[in-house]
Amino acid sequence: MALVPCQVLRAAILLSYCSILCNYKAIDMPAHQTYGGSWKFLTFIDLVIQAVFFGICVLTDLSSLLTRGNDSQEQERQLKKLISLRDWMMAVLAFPVGVFVVTMFWSIYIYDRELVYPKLLDNFIPAWLNHGMHTTVLPFVLIEMRTTHHQYPSRSCGLAAVCTFAVGYILWVCWIHHVTGVWVYPLLEHLSPGVKIIFFAAVTVIINVFYLVGEILNNYIWDTQK
């Protein structure tokens, strides 16, 4: 019976992300019309990651229920692949990227919101949507970690994947600046080239630290010896 509430919870979280994405895309904001559109913002990329991840979680739950009591080895094999994909996404993308977005956004916002979320955006994005993009991501991913055990990849493979994502996004941000002459985030306008390199390196280190935090937290919650 414990599985049913988890299924409902994941489905509810998936629907909330779909609602947030639909409302965000419906906003007639100038930034959406420029090069890269919404995909230049890590917040939007993270929302897509979370929606895809919870979509896979819901699909895994449905497949598990449908194959329960079924002796088909092929269906069992497909279910294991789905579970492996779910666990990999949780370890490499959903947790580290989600926690990074929440912590970095609110840390910079508290220091000087104009560096990351100019007050002008309040005219386009309502407060509830802002929290949906930058706040609820953290409790949602923690709830998922607490309710379901996720098998993490080897540490070297996991860190390599996280680094690939971080470096890929940094190169994407630099490319957008190369094409448009404008940095995606106002914060970068105030940094010298040397400081930008240090900042990008620090960002890569931080997201890797969050990967390790997720691995440690997952092992602590699901320690089989306890």
Side-chain angles (χ1 to χ4, degrees):
M1 294 299 291
L3 181 62
V4 176
C6 294
Q7 290 178 321
V8 174
L9 185 60
R10 293 189 189 99
I13 293 175
L14 174 60
L15 290 175
S16 71
Y17 276 122
C18 291
S19 174
I20 291 170
L21 282 168
C22 289
N23 279 277
Y24 178 75
K25 292 298 292 183
I27 296 174
D28 185 17
M29 198 162 59
H32 291 174
Q33 313 304 324
T34 57
Y35 185 82
S38 303
W39 291 98
K40 58 179 170 283
F41 301 114
L42 185 59
T43 292
F44 179 78
I45 295 174
D46 178 50
L47 287 175
V48 173
I49 288 173
Q50 302 297 332
V52 171
F53 168 68
F54 279 99
I56 293 174
C57 287
V58 171
L59 184 58
T60 301
D61 287 337
L62 291 175
S63 299
S64 180
L65 288 175
L66 292 174
T67 58
R68 183 174 296 175
N70 194 326
D71 295 330
S72 173
Q73 293 184 350
E74 177 61 23
Q75 289 183 346
E76 187 69 23
R77 187 171 65 86
Q78 295 300 325
L79 178 59
K80 287 182 178 179
K81 285 185 177 180
L82 204 55
I83 292 174
S84 296
L85 176 60
R86 179 201 66 186
D87 292 350
W88 185 89
M89 278 205 68
M90 176 64 173
V92 173
L93 295 174
F95 186 88
V97 178
V99 175
F100 177 84
V101 167
V102 173
T103 54
M104 287 295 289
F105 175 83
W106 287 113
S107 296
I108 299 174
Y109 185 98
I110 292 171
Y111 174 74
D112 184 357
R113 67 169 296 177
E114 294 298 320
L115 296 177
V116 67
Y117 192 81
K119 195 171 181 61
L120 176 66
L121 292 178
D122 291 342
N123 298 324
F124 300 95
I125 303 176
W128 71 266
L129 186 56
N130 180 27
H131 284 292
M133 297 187 297
H134 298 115
T135 305
T136 59
V137 173
L138 181 56
F140 284 168
V141 77
L142 288 176
I143 288 171
E144 170 61 23
M145 179 170 282
R146 179 63 184 84
T147 56
T148 305
H149 175 258
H150 297 276
Q151 185 67 43
Y152 268 61
S154 66
R155 182 166 293 181
S156 58
C157 291
L159 291 175
V162 172
C163 281
T164 300
F165 174 85
V167 172
Y169 180 70
I170 289 170
L171 293 176
W172 171 232
V173 169
C174 292
W175 174 254
I176 292 173
H177 176 261
H178 172 74
V179 172
T180 65
V182 178
W183 288 104
V184 174
Y185 302 102
L187 169 66
L188 297 173
E189 300 283 357
H190 302 278
L191 304 180
S192 65
V195 176
K196 281 188 181 73
I197 293 175
I198 296 174
F199 176 77
F200 288 143
V203 162
T204 304
V205 170
I206 290 172
I207 198 169
N208 276 274
V209 168
F210 284 139
Y211 171 85
L212 295 175
V213 169
E215 182 184 41
I216 293 170
L217 185 59
N218 181 75
N219 291 338
Y220 175 78
I221 294 173
W222 298 99
D223 188 349
T224 55
Q225 293 181 356
K226 291 186 178 180

